[in-house]
Structures are given as structure tokens and as C-alpha cells.
Amino acid sequence: AYSRGSASAAGKLATALAGADACLPVGALLPSDHYSPTIGAYAAGSGDNAWAIIGATAASETVPASALNALRNAQQPDGGWEWSAGWESDTNSTALAIQALVANGEPITSTVVVSAVAFLKDAQSADGGFPYAPGATAESDANSTAYAIQGLIAAGEDPESAAWEQGGVSPVDYLVGMQLPSGAFEWTAGTGGNALATTQAIPALLGRTHPAVARELASCPVAFLPAVQVAGVE
């Protein structure tokens, strides 16, 4: 049901299944099932389209050139991407777009990638982390910093280098500093352990970009599953 909700959901599921060496559940959709020849992309929004591209790559599906072009063409004048039209550029969508394009052959020396890295540089906070969107009052958070780290690695940058330090603190230093004694990561300082922030931090701190693994997804054998309701039929 999750994979049917949006192109990005299908992309996230495909990315997770490929990484976990798991099979595709009965009734689940792949990113290709969301592709629209009418708009030449998996979705109208850049965030959804980027996640679908990453998922399609993870599942070893052929990514249509039109979907990649749609993502490139959606880059904003400031070098970033916005999740949906009119939302304005943000670090999360930008980092995803970098990963999606580079995973499909975009040179890290291209104007597209170089401009995106410059956007991330301008968005970095004085504490070394990254906020969701740039701005003088924007607060860094673990999720956005993790996304940015992955985007930088995909672009050939070293997020632990002096070039990415603010006051001697790198994005990696900031993210590590958000971990609590329990092992969980906070989303923002003082908010307590957060499951999403924790799972987002792990691949970034491992230095892994999306997709970490690319392989064809075999369908799960029906006998492997408990009785489930699929498309109204048990």
C-alpha cells in the first residue's frame, strides 16, 4: 500500500529492498509503475521524481532520459531544487537530486552539480550543520545535515574536510554531536531521540549515497507471505 501512494514512496521502498537483499512484496509497485509519459517523469515534483529515480536505479530499472532531463531542468536559479513547484529550494531536495543524477551518469564537474554544491555551501549554518532551507534564522537539523552529507559525497566532496568546516566543526561533526547516550539521534537540539533522524543519520555517517545497492528485485513467493488482502482479493 505504501508503494502505491506516490512515486517517492515506491522509490524509497525499492531502495530499501535492494539494500536489504529482500524480495518485492506481492502487490507492491516499482517506480516504473508511476512513470508518466505525459509529463516525461515519475512525478511532477522534483522530490518525488528524484526519489523515484533513485529507487528505479536501485531496482536496476531503466531510468528514462526524460525523467533525468526533467530533474535537471527543475534546478532553480540559486542552484538548488524545491520539493514541489513554488516551495523554494531546500537542502533535502537538492541533495537527493545530486544523488539521483550522479547515480545515472551526471559528471560531478557538470554545471548542474557544481551549482548544486554551491547552493549547499551557501545554505550551511554557522554550527556546521544544515537546515532544511537556507535563511538567517533557519536551524540546523540532523535529517537535513545527513541528506546534505550524502549529496556532498555523491558530488565528490569530502564533508569532513576543512572546506566544509564552520568554526572548526564539519557537517559530520555536527551530526555526530546530535547523538544521545541511548544511541538515538535528535532531529534538532533538545527535542529528544527521533527514529527518523536516527535512520537518516546512519547511511550518511557510513559515507554511503543512494542507492547503496543496485540489483533486480525478485517477487516474493506467495507461500512466503502470511494471508494478506491485495487489491481486494485475499
Side-chain angles (χ1 to χ4, degrees):
Y2 176 71
S3 68
R4 293 172 177 269
S6 66
S8 58
K12 292 175 182 179
L13 180 61
T15 302
L17 293 175
D21 195 24
C23 54
L24 183 69
V26 173
L29 297 185
L30 288 170
S32 57
D33 296 310
H34 287 276
Y35 177 75
S36 170
T38 303
I39 64 174
Y42 295 95
S46 295
D48 283 311
N49 193 36
W51 256 123
I53 290 171
I54 289 171
T57 307
S60 294
E61 294 190 306
T62 299
V63 177
S66 58
L68 295 170
N69 287 332
L71 187 57
R72 287 190 194 92
N73 295 336
Q75 188 173 32
Q76 301 299 295
D78 60 9
W81 275 265
E82 51 187 0
W83 187 273
S84 294
W87 288 25
E88 299 186 351
S89 299
D90 66 82
T91 57
N92 294 222
S93 301
T94 301
L96 282 172
I98 294 172
Q99 292 174 82
L101 293 173
V102 171
N104 283 275
E106 184 74 27
I108 61 175
T109 55
S110 73
T111 301
V112 170
V113 175
V114 171
S115 297
V117 170
F119 170 81
L120 291 177
K121 184 63 177 177
D122 289 341
Q124 189 178 15
S125 298
D127 58 12
F130 289 85
Y132 175 77
T137 60
E139 183 179 4
S140 297
D141 66 81
N143 297 60
S144 298
T145 302
Y147 263 133
I149 288 171
Q150 290 182 290
L152 292 176
I153 293 172
E157 295 287 320
D158 179 1
E160 294 187 86
S161 69
W164 289 96
E165 289 182 353
Q166 294 286 346
V169 179
S170 73
V172 173
D173 293 330
Y174 168 86
L175 187 56
V176 169
M178 295 298 285
Q179 188 173 32
L180 300 172
S182 66
F185 284 75
E186 296 185 282
W187 174 55
T188 54
T191 57
N194 182 287
L196 184 57
T198 303
T199 54
Q200 180 65 43
I202 293 170
L205 292 177
L206 288 174
R208 305 298 292 273
T209 60
H210 292 312
V213 176
R215 64 179 185 83
E216 292 186 18
L217 299 179
S219 297
C220 297
V222 176
F224 173 75
L225 301 173
V228 293
Q229 188 100 357
V230 178
V233 180
E234 187 171 335

